[in-house]
Short mmCIF file of all heavy atoms in Angstrom, two decimals:
data_model
loop_
_atom_site.label_atom_id
_atom_site.label_comp_id
_atom_site.label_asym_id
_atom_site.label_seq_id
_atom_site.Cartn_x
_atom_site.Cartn_y
_atom_site.Cartn_z
N MET A 1 -96.45 89.70 107.26
CA MET A 1 -95.23 90.46 107.12
C MET A 1 -95.61 91.94 107.01
O MET A 1 -96.47 92.30 106.20
CB MET A 1 -94.48 89.97 105.89
CG MET A 1 -93.15 90.63 105.67
SD MET A 1 -92.27 89.93 104.26
CE MET A 1 -90.89 89.25 105.09
N PRO A 2 -94.97 92.79 107.80
CA PRO A 2 -95.29 94.22 107.75
C PRO A 2 -95.02 94.83 106.37
O PRO A 2 -94.11 94.40 105.66
CB PRO A 2 -94.36 94.83 108.80
CG PRO A 2 -93.99 93.71 109.69
CD PRO A 2 -94.02 92.48 108.85
N ARG A 3 -95.84 95.79 106.02
CA ARG A 3 -95.75 96.40 104.69
C ARG A 3 -94.38 97.04 104.44
O ARG A 3 -93.81 96.89 103.35
CB ARG A 3 -96.85 97.44 104.54
CG ARG A 3 -96.93 97.98 103.14
CD ARG A 3 -98.00 99.02 102.97
NE ARG A 3 -99.19 98.71 103.76
CZ ARG A 3 -100.10 99.59 104.10
NH1 ARG A 3 -99.98 100.84 103.72
NH2 ARG A 3 -101.15 99.25 104.82
N LEU A 4 -93.84 97.74 105.43
CA LEU A 4 -92.54 98.38 105.24
C LEU A 4 -91.43 97.36 105.03
O LEU A 4 -90.48 97.60 104.29
CB LEU A 4 -92.22 99.29 106.42
CG LEU A 4 -93.02 100.57 106.48
CD1 LEU A 4 -92.72 101.32 107.78
CD2 LEU A 4 -92.73 101.45 105.30
N ALA A 5 -91.55 96.20 105.67
CA ALA A 5 -90.56 95.14 105.47
C ALA A 5 -90.63 94.61 104.04
O ALA A 5 -89.59 94.34 103.42
CB ALA A 5 -90.78 94.01 106.47
N VAL A 6 -91.83 94.49 103.52
CA VAL A 6 -91.99 94.03 102.14
C VAL A 6 -91.39 95.03 101.17
O VAL A 6 -90.67 94.66 100.23
CB VAL A 6 -93.48 93.77 101.82
CG1 VAL A 6 -93.68 93.45 100.35
CG2 VAL A 6 -94.02 92.65 102.68
N TYR A 7 -91.67 96.31 101.39
CA TYR A 7 -91.12 97.34 100.51
C TYR A 7 -89.60 97.36 100.56
O TYR A 7 -88.93 97.47 99.53
CB TYR A 7 -91.65 98.72 100.89
CG TYR A 7 -93.12 98.93 100.62
CD1 TYR A 7 -93.84 99.89 101.31
CD2 TYR A 7 -93.80 98.17 99.67
CE1 TYR A 7 -95.19 100.09 101.07
CE2 TYR A 7 -95.14 98.36 99.43
CZ TYR A 7 -95.83 99.33 100.12
OH TYR A 7 -97.17 99.52 99.87
N ALA A 8 -89.04 97.23 101.76
CA ALA A 8 -87.59 97.23 101.90
C ALA A 8 -86.98 96.00 101.22
O ALA A 8 -85.92 96.09 100.61
CB ALA A 8 -87.19 97.28 103.37
N LEU A 9 -87.67 94.87 101.31
CA LEU A 9 -87.18 93.66 100.65
C LEU A 9 -87.21 93.80 99.13
O LEU A 9 -86.28 93.37 98.44
CB LEU A 9 -88.03 92.47 101.10
CG LEU A 9 -87.51 91.09 100.76
CD1 LEU A 9 -86.14 90.87 101.38
CD2 LEU A 9 -88.48 90.04 101.25
N ILE A 10 -88.25 94.44 98.62
CA ILE A 10 -88.34 94.69 97.17
C ILE A 10 -87.19 95.60 96.72
O ILE A 10 -86.55 95.35 95.70
CB ILE A 10 -89.71 95.28 96.80
CG1 ILE A 10 -90.80 94.22 96.98
CG2 ILE A 10 -89.71 95.83 95.38
CD1 ILE A 10 -92.21 94.76 96.88
N VAL A 11 -86.92 96.65 97.49
CA VAL A 11 -85.82 97.55 97.16
C VAL A 11 -84.50 96.80 97.19
O VAL A 11 -83.63 97.00 96.34
CB VAL A 11 -85.80 98.76 98.13
CG1 VAL A 11 -84.53 99.57 97.98
CG2 VAL A 11 -87.01 99.64 97.89
N CYS A 12 -84.34 95.91 98.16
CA CYS A 12 -83.11 95.12 98.27
C CYS A 12 -82.91 94.24 97.03
O CYS A 12 -81.81 94.21 96.46
CB CYS A 12 -83.16 94.26 99.53
SG CYS A 12 -81.71 93.24 99.78
N VAL A 13 -83.96 93.56 96.62
CA VAL A 13 -83.86 92.69 95.44
C VAL A 13 -83.56 93.50 94.19
O VAL A 13 -82.71 93.12 93.36
CB VAL A 13 -85.16 91.87 95.27
CG1 VAL A 13 -85.20 91.16 93.93
CG2 VAL A 13 -85.30 90.87 96.41
N LEU A 14 -84.22 94.64 94.03
CA LEU A 14 -83.97 95.48 92.87
C LEU A 14 -82.55 96.05 92.87
O LEU A 14 -81.91 96.16 91.82
CB LEU A 14 -85.00 96.61 92.79
CG LEU A 14 -86.43 96.18 92.46
CD1 LEU A 14 -87.37 97.37 92.56
CD2 LEU A 14 -86.49 95.54 91.09
N ALA A 15 -82.06 96.40 94.05
CA ALA A 15 -80.69 96.93 94.15
C ALA A 15 -79.67 95.86 93.81
O ALA A 15 -78.65 96.15 93.16
CB ALA A 15 -80.45 97.49 95.55
N VAL A 16 -79.91 94.63 94.23
CA VAL A 16 -78.99 93.54 93.88
C VAL A 16 -79.00 93.31 92.37
O VAL A 16 -77.95 93.13 91.75
CB VAL A 16 -79.35 92.25 94.65
CG1 VAL A 16 -78.61 91.06 94.09
CG2 VAL A 16 -79.05 92.42 96.13
N ALA A 17 -80.18 93.34 91.78
CA ALA A 17 -80.28 93.17 90.32
C ALA A 17 -79.54 94.29 89.60
O ALA A 17 -78.82 94.06 88.62
CB ALA A 17 -81.74 93.12 89.89
N ALA A 18 -79.72 95.51 90.09
CA ALA A 18 -79.04 96.66 89.47
C ALA A 18 -77.52 96.53 89.63
O ALA A 18 -76.77 96.88 88.71
CB ALA A 18 -79.52 97.95 90.08
N ALA A 19 -77.07 96.04 90.76
CA ALA A 19 -75.63 95.86 90.98
C ALA A 19 -75.07 94.81 90.03
O ALA A 19 -73.99 95.01 89.45
CB ALA A 19 -75.37 95.44 92.43
N VAL A 20 -75.79 93.73 89.84
CA VAL A 20 -75.34 92.68 88.92
C VAL A 20 -75.24 93.23 87.51
O VAL A 20 -74.23 93.03 86.81
CB VAL A 20 -76.27 91.45 88.98
CG1 VAL A 20 -75.98 90.48 87.85
CG2 VAL A 20 -76.14 90.76 90.33
N VAL A 21 -76.27 93.92 87.07
CA VAL A 21 -76.26 94.50 85.72
C VAL A 21 -75.12 95.49 85.58
O VAL A 21 -74.40 95.51 84.57
CB VAL A 21 -77.62 95.17 85.41
CG1 VAL A 21 -77.54 96.00 84.14
CG2 VAL A 21 -78.71 94.12 85.30
N SER A 22 -74.92 96.30 86.59
CA SER A 22 -73.86 97.31 86.55
C SER A 22 -72.48 96.67 86.45
O SER A 22 -71.64 97.10 85.66
CB SER A 22 -73.97 98.20 87.79
OG SER A 22 -73.03 99.23 87.73
N PHE A 23 -72.25 95.64 87.25
CA PHE A 23 -70.94 94.98 87.22
C PHE A 23 -70.72 94.22 85.91
O PHE A 23 -69.61 94.17 85.39
CB PHE A 23 -70.77 94.04 88.41
CG PHE A 23 -70.46 94.76 89.70
CD1 PHE A 23 -71.19 94.49 90.84
CD2 PHE A 23 -69.44 95.70 89.78
CE1 PHE A 23 -70.91 95.14 92.04
CE2 PHE A 23 -69.16 96.35 90.96
CZ PHE A 23 -69.89 96.07 92.09
N VAL A 24 -71.78 93.62 85.37
CA VAL A 24 -71.66 92.90 84.10
C VAL A 24 -71.29 93.87 82.98
O VAL A 24 -70.51 93.53 82.09
CB VAL A 24 -72.97 92.15 83.78
CG1 VAL A 24 -73.02 91.70 82.32
CG2 VAL A 24 -73.12 90.96 84.71
N GLN A 25 -71.80 95.09 83.06
CA GLN A 25 -71.48 96.09 82.06
C GLN A 25 -70.11 96.73 82.29
O GLN A 25 -69.67 97.56 81.50
CB GLN A 25 -72.55 97.18 82.04
CG GLN A 25 -73.88 96.70 81.53
CD GLN A 25 -74.94 97.78 81.56
OE1 GLN A 25 -74.73 98.86 82.12
NE2 GLN A 25 -76.08 97.50 80.95
N GLY A 26 -69.45 96.34 83.37
CA GLY A 26 -68.13 96.88 83.66
C GLY A 26 -68.14 98.22 84.35
O GLY A 26 -67.14 98.93 84.39
N ASN A 27 -69.26 98.58 84.92
CA ASN A 27 -69.40 99.87 85.59
C ASN A 27 -69.21 99.68 87.09
O ASN A 27 -69.88 98.86 87.72
CB ASN A 27 -70.81 100.42 85.30
CG ASN A 27 -70.96 101.85 85.72
OD1 ASN A 27 -70.10 102.42 86.37
ND2 ASN A 27 -72.09 102.44 85.34
N TRP A 28 -68.30 100.44 87.66
CA TRP A 28 -68.02 100.32 89.09
C TRP A 28 -69.06 101.03 89.96
O TRP A 28 -68.98 100.99 91.19
CB TRP A 28 -66.63 100.88 89.41
CG TRP A 28 -65.58 99.93 88.96
CD1 TRP A 28 -64.89 99.98 87.79
CD2 TRP A 28 -65.15 98.76 89.64
NE1 TRP A 28 -64.04 98.93 87.70
CE2 TRP A 28 -64.17 98.16 88.83
CE3 TRP A 28 -65.50 98.16 90.84
CZ2 TRP A 28 -63.53 96.99 89.20
CZ3 TRP A 28 -64.86 96.99 91.21
CH2 TRP A 28 -63.90 96.42 90.40
N LEU A 29 -70.06 101.63 89.34
CA LEU A 29 -71.15 102.24 90.09
C LEU A 29 -71.98 101.18 90.83
O LEU A 29 -72.73 101.49 91.74
CB LEU A 29 -72.06 103.04 89.14
CG LEU A 29 -73.14 103.90 89.77
CD1 LEU A 29 -72.49 105.00 90.61
CD2 LEU A 29 -74.01 104.50 88.70
N GLY A 30 -71.76 99.92 90.48
CA GLY A 30 -72.45 98.82 91.14
C GLY A 30 -72.17 98.77 92.64
O GLY A 30 -72.97 98.22 93.40
N ILE A 31 -71.05 99.33 93.06
CA ILE A 31 -70.73 99.36 94.49
C ILE A 31 -71.80 100.14 95.24
O ILE A 31 -72.19 99.76 96.35
CB ILE A 31 -69.33 99.96 94.70
CG1 ILE A 31 -68.28 99.02 94.13
CG2 ILE A 31 -69.07 100.24 96.17
CD1 ILE A 31 -66.88 99.58 94.12
N VAL A 32 -72.28 101.21 94.66
CA VAL A 32 -73.35 101.99 95.30
C VAL A 32 -74.61 101.14 95.43
O VAL A 32 -75.29 101.18 96.47
CB VAL A 32 -73.63 103.28 94.49
CG1 VAL A 32 -74.83 104.02 95.06
CG2 VAL A 32 -72.40 104.16 94.45
N TRP A 33 -74.90 100.34 94.42
CA TRP A 33 -76.08 99.47 94.47
C TRP A 33 -75.92 98.40 95.55
O TRP A 33 -76.89 98.04 96.22
CB TRP A 33 -76.34 98.83 93.11
CG TRP A 33 -76.80 99.80 92.09
CD1 TRP A 33 -76.12 100.19 90.98
CD2 TRP A 33 -78.03 100.52 92.07
NE1 TRP A 33 -76.85 101.12 90.27
CE2 TRP A 33 -78.03 101.33 90.92
CE3 TRP A 33 -79.13 100.57 92.92
CZ2 TRP A 33 -79.10 102.15 90.61
CZ3 TRP A 33 -80.19 101.39 92.61
CH2 TRP A 33 -80.17 102.17 91.46
N VAL A 34 -74.71 97.90 95.71
CA VAL A 34 -74.46 96.90 96.76
C VAL A 34 -74.69 97.53 98.14
O VAL A 34 -75.29 96.91 99.03
CB VAL A 34 -73.04 96.32 96.64
CG1 VAL A 34 -72.67 95.50 97.86
CG2 VAL A 34 -72.91 95.49 95.37
N LEU A 35 -74.20 98.75 98.32
CA LEU A 35 -74.41 99.44 99.60
C LEU A 35 -75.90 99.68 99.86
O LEU A 35 -76.38 99.53 100.99
CB LEU A 35 -73.63 100.75 99.63
CG LEU A 35 -72.11 100.62 99.63
CD1 LEU A 35 -71.47 102.00 99.50
CD2 LEU A 35 -71.63 99.92 100.88
N LEU A 36 -76.62 100.07 98.82
CA LEU A 36 -78.05 100.28 98.96
C LEU A 36 -78.77 98.97 99.29
O LEU A 36 -79.70 98.95 100.11
CB LEU A 36 -78.64 100.89 97.68
CG LEU A 36 -80.14 101.17 97.71
CD1 LEU A 36 -80.45 102.22 98.77
CD2 LEU A 36 -80.61 101.63 96.35
N ALA A 37 -78.33 97.87 98.69
CA ALA A 37 -78.93 96.57 99.00
C ALA A 37 -78.68 96.21 100.46
O ALA A 37 -79.58 95.67 101.13
CB ALA A 37 -78.35 95.50 98.08
N GLY A 38 -77.50 96.49 100.97
CA GLY A 38 -77.21 96.22 102.37
C GLY A 38 -78.08 97.04 103.30
O GLY A 38 -78.61 96.53 104.29
N LEU A 39 -78.24 98.29 102.98
CA LEU A 39 -79.10 99.16 103.79
C LEU A 39 -80.54 98.68 103.76
O LEU A 39 -81.21 98.59 104.80
CB LEU A 39 -79.01 100.60 103.28
CG LEU A 39 -79.91 101.62 103.96
CD1 LEU A 39 -79.47 101.82 105.41
CD2 LEU A 39 -79.90 102.92 103.21
N ALA A 40 -81.03 98.34 102.59
CA ALA A 40 -82.42 97.89 102.45
C ALA A 40 -82.65 96.57 103.18
O ALA A 40 -83.70 96.36 103.79
CB ALA A 40 -82.78 97.75 100.97
N SER A 41 -81.67 95.66 103.14
CA SER A 41 -81.85 94.39 103.84
C SER A 41 -81.87 94.61 105.35
O SER A 41 -82.64 93.96 106.06
CB SER A 41 -80.75 93.40 103.46
OG SER A 41 -79.51 93.78 104.00
N ASN A 42 -81.06 95.53 105.84
CA ASN A 42 -81.10 95.84 107.27
C ASN A 42 -82.44 96.45 107.66
O ASN A 42 -82.98 96.15 108.73
CB ASN A 42 -79.97 96.80 107.65
CG ASN A 42 -78.63 96.12 107.70
OD1 ASN A 42 -78.55 94.89 107.76
ND2 ASN A 42 -77.57 96.91 107.66
N MET A 43 -82.98 97.30 106.80
CA MET A 43 -84.28 97.90 107.08
C MET A 43 -85.37 96.83 107.07
O MET A 43 -86.26 96.84 107.94
CB MET A 43 -84.61 98.97 106.04
CG MET A 43 -83.79 100.23 106.20
SD MET A 43 -84.08 101.43 104.89
CE MET A 43 -85.81 101.77 105.09
N ALA A 44 -85.31 95.91 106.12
CA ALA A 44 -86.31 94.83 106.06
C ALA A 44 -86.24 93.99 107.33
O ALA A 44 -87.27 93.64 107.92
CB ALA A 44 -86.08 93.96 104.83
N TRP A 45 -85.04 93.65 107.76
CA TRP A 45 -84.86 92.86 108.98
C TRP A 45 -85.43 93.60 110.19
O TRP A 45 -86.12 93.02 111.02
CB TRP A 45 -83.38 92.56 109.16
CG TRP A 45 -83.08 91.71 110.35
CD1 TRP A 45 -82.57 92.12 111.54
CD2 TRP A 45 -83.27 90.30 110.46
NE1 TRP A 45 -82.44 91.06 112.38
CE2 TRP A 45 -82.86 89.93 111.75
CE3 TRP A 45 -83.77 89.33 109.59
CZ2 TRP A 45 -82.92 88.62 112.19
CZ3 TRP A 45 -83.82 88.03 110.04
CH2 TRP A 45 -83.40 87.69 111.31
N TYR A 46 -85.13 94.88 110.28
CA TYR A 46 -85.61 95.70 111.40
C TYR A 46 -87.13 95.74 111.45
O TYR A 46 -87.74 95.50 112.49
CB TYR A 46 -85.05 97.11 111.30
CG TYR A 46 -85.66 98.07 112.28
CD1 TYR A 46 -85.29 98.07 113.62
CD2 TYR A 46 -86.63 98.98 111.87
CE1 TYR A 46 -85.88 98.94 114.52
CE2 TYR A 46 -87.22 99.86 112.76
CZ TYR A 46 -86.83 99.84 114.09
OH TYR A 46 -87.41 100.69 114.98
N TYR A 47 -87.76 96.02 110.32
CA TYR A 47 -89.22 96.12 110.30
C TYR A 47 -89.88 94.77 110.52
O TYR A 47 -90.96 94.69 111.12
CB TYR A 47 -89.71 96.76 109.00
CG TYR A 47 -89.45 98.23 108.94
CD1 TYR A 47 -88.71 98.80 107.92
CD2 TYR A 47 -89.95 99.07 109.93
CE1 TYR A 47 -88.47 100.16 107.89
CE2 TYR A 47 -89.71 100.43 109.91
CZ TYR A 47 -88.97 100.96 108.88
OH TYR A 47 -88.73 102.32 108.85
N LEU A 48 -89.25 93.70 110.07
CA LEU A 48 -89.79 92.37 110.32
C LEU A 48 -89.75 92.05 111.81
O LEU A 48 -90.74 91.60 112.39
CB LEU A 48 -89.00 91.33 109.53
CG LEU A 48 -89.49 89.90 109.64
CD1 LEU A 48 -90.89 89.78 109.05
CD2 LEU A 48 -88.53 88.97 108.94
N LYS A 49 -88.62 92.32 112.46
CA LYS A 49 -88.50 92.07 113.89
C LYS A 49 -89.44 92.97 114.69
O LYS A 49 -90.03 92.55 115.67
CB LYS A 49 -87.06 92.30 114.36
CG LYS A 49 -86.09 91.30 113.82
CD LYS A 49 -86.48 89.92 114.23
CE LYS A 49 -85.38 89.28 115.02
NZ LYS A 49 -85.73 87.95 115.48
N ARG A 50 -89.56 94.22 114.27
CA ARG A 50 -90.44 95.16 114.95
C ARG A 50 -91.90 94.71 114.85
O ARG A 50 -92.67 94.79 115.81
CB ARG A 50 -90.27 96.54 114.35
CG ARG A 50 -90.97 97.63 115.13
CD ARG A 50 -90.62 98.97 114.57
NE ARG A 50 -91.85 99.55 114.05
CZ ARG A 50 -91.92 100.72 113.46
NH1 ARG A 50 -90.84 101.43 113.26
NH2 ARG A 50 -93.05 101.18 113.03
N GLY A 51 -92.30 94.21 113.69
CA GLY A 51 -93.66 93.72 113.51
C GLY A 51 -93.94 92.49 114.36
O GLY A 51 -95.02 92.37 114.95
N LYS A 52 -92.98 91.58 114.43
CA LYS A 52 -93.16 90.40 115.28
C LYS A 52 -93.27 90.78 116.74
O LYS A 52 -94.08 90.23 117.48
CB LYS A 52 -91.99 89.43 115.09
CG LYS A 52 -92.04 88.65 113.81
CD LYS A 52 -90.89 87.67 113.75
CE LYS A 52 -90.91 86.86 112.47
NZ LYS A 52 -89.79 85.92 112.41
N GLN A 53 -92.44 91.73 117.17
CA GLN A 53 -92.48 92.17 118.56
C GLN A 53 -93.80 92.86 118.87
O GLN A 53 -94.38 92.67 119.95
CB GLN A 53 -91.32 93.11 118.86
CG GLN A 53 -91.22 93.53 120.31
CD GLN A 53 -90.94 92.36 121.23
OE1 GLN A 53 -90.14 91.50 120.90
NE2 GLN A 53 -91.57 92.34 122.36
N ALA A 54 -94.32 93.64 117.94
CA ALA A 54 -95.60 94.33 118.16
C ALA A 54 -96.73 93.31 118.29
O ALA A 54 -97.61 93.46 119.15
CB ALA A 54 -95.89 95.29 117.01
N LYS A 55 -96.71 92.26 117.45
CA LYS A 55 -97.72 91.21 117.56
C LYS A 55 -97.62 90.51 118.90
O LYS A 55 -98.62 90.21 119.55
CB LYS A 55 -97.56 90.19 116.44
CG LYS A 55 -98.22 90.54 115.17
CD LYS A 55 -98.12 89.38 114.21
CE LYS A 55 -98.74 89.73 112.89
NZ LYS A 55 -98.59 88.63 111.92
N ARG A 56 -96.39 90.22 119.32
CA ARG A 56 -96.17 89.53 120.59
C ARG A 56 -96.65 90.39 121.76
O ARG A 56 -97.32 89.90 122.67
CB ARG A 56 -94.70 89.20 120.75
CG ARG A 56 -94.41 88.26 121.90
CD ARG A 56 -92.94 87.85 121.94
NE ARG A 56 -92.55 87.23 120.68
CZ ARG A 56 -91.48 87.59 119.96
NH1 ARG A 56 -90.72 88.57 120.37
NH2 ARG A 56 -91.18 86.97 118.85
N ASP A 57 -96.33 91.68 121.72
CA ASP A 57 -96.77 92.58 122.78
C ASP A 57 -98.29 92.71 122.81
O ASP A 57 -98.90 92.76 123.87
CB ASP A 57 -96.14 93.96 122.61
CG ASP A 57 -94.65 93.96 122.90
OD1 ASP A 57 -94.15 92.98 123.51
OD2 ASP A 57 -93.98 94.93 122.50
N GLU A 58 -98.89 92.76 121.62
CA GLU A 58 -100.34 92.87 121.53
C GLU A 58 -101.01 91.62 122.10
O GLU A 58 -101.98 91.70 122.85
CB GLU A 58 -100.73 93.06 120.06
CG GLU A 58 -102.18 93.36 119.81
CD GLU A 58 -102.42 93.61 118.34
OE1 GLU A 58 -101.99 94.65 117.84
OE2 GLU A 58 -103.01 92.72 117.71
N ARG A 59 -100.46 90.47 121.77
CA ARG A 59 -101.01 89.22 122.26
C ARG A 59 -100.84 89.11 123.79
O ARG A 59 -101.76 88.73 124.50
CB ARG A 59 -100.31 88.04 121.58
CG ARG A 59 -100.88 86.68 121.97
CD ARG A 59 -100.10 85.55 121.38
NE ARG A 59 -98.77 85.55 121.99
CZ ARG A 59 -97.65 85.29 121.35
NH1 ARG A 59 -97.67 85.03 120.05
NH2 ARG A 59 -96.49 85.29 121.97
N ASP A 60 -99.67 89.47 124.29
CA ASP A 60 -99.42 89.41 125.72
C ASP A 60 -100.26 90.44 126.47
O ASP A 60 -100.74 90.17 127.57
CB ASP A 60 -97.95 89.64 126.04
CG ASP A 60 -97.09 88.46 125.58
OD1 ASP A 60 -97.65 87.38 125.31
OD2 ASP A 60 -95.85 88.64 125.49
N GLY A 61 -100.48 91.60 125.89
CA GLY A 61 -101.32 92.62 126.51
C GLY A 61 -102.76 92.16 126.62
O GLY A 61 -103.43 92.39 127.62
N ALA A 62 -103.24 91.50 125.58
CA ALA A 62 -104.62 91.00 125.60
C ALA A 62 -104.75 89.89 126.63
O ALA A 62 -105.75 89.79 127.33
CB ALA A 62 -105.02 90.48 124.21
N ARG A 63 -103.74 89.06 126.74
CA ARG A 63 -103.76 87.97 127.71
C ARG A 63 -103.74 88.52 129.13
O ARG A 63 -104.45 88.04 130.00
CB ARG A 63 -102.57 87.05 127.48
CG ARG A 63 -102.64 85.79 128.33
CD ARG A 63 -101.45 84.89 128.10
NE ARG A 63 -101.34 84.59 126.66
CZ ARG A 63 -100.22 84.18 126.09
NH1 ARG A 63 -99.12 84.07 126.81
NH2 ARG A 63 -100.18 83.92 124.82
N ASN A 64 -102.93 89.55 129.37
CA ASN A 64 -102.84 90.12 130.70
C ASN A 64 -104.11 90.85 131.10
O ASN A 64 -104.49 90.87 132.26
CB ASN A 64 -101.65 91.07 130.80
CG ASN A 64 -100.32 90.32 130.79
OD1 ASN A 64 -100.29 89.13 131.10
ND2 ASN A 64 -99.26 91.00 130.44
N SER A 65 -104.77 91.48 130.13
CA SER A 65 -105.99 92.22 130.46
C SER A 65 -107.12 91.26 130.80
O SER A 65 -107.99 91.58 131.60
CB SER A 65 -106.39 93.14 129.33
OG SER A 65 -106.76 92.38 128.20
N VAL A 66 -107.14 90.08 130.23
CA VAL A 66 -108.18 89.11 130.50
C VAL A 66 -107.97 88.48 131.88
O VAL A 66 -108.89 88.33 132.66
CB VAL A 66 -108.22 88.01 129.42
CG1 VAL A 66 -109.14 86.87 129.82
CG2 VAL A 66 -108.65 88.61 128.10
N THR A 67 -106.70 88.15 132.20
CA THR A 67 -106.42 87.49 133.47
C THR A 67 -106.22 88.48 134.61
O THR A 67 -106.28 88.10 135.75
CB THR A 67 -105.18 86.59 133.35
OG1 THR A 67 -104.06 87.40 132.98
CG2 THR A 67 -105.39 85.50 132.32
N GLY A 68 -105.93 89.73 134.28
CA GLY A 68 -105.60 90.71 135.32
C GLY A 68 -106.75 91.40 135.81
O GLY A 68 -107.53 91.55 136.57
#
């Protein structure tokens, strides 16, 4: 798993925890934490897909250079 995807996933989990704590305390600032969690999850998904594609391209490039 790419490092940036891991970091984004950690931020997402922490933002969800902060949102839960905020809402339990009756603070509507939790909405900001929910938005941050959504952004972080999208970033994690993007970096995960980008890392998989880079591995696939690297593997296909190596295969083509050997046979080509």
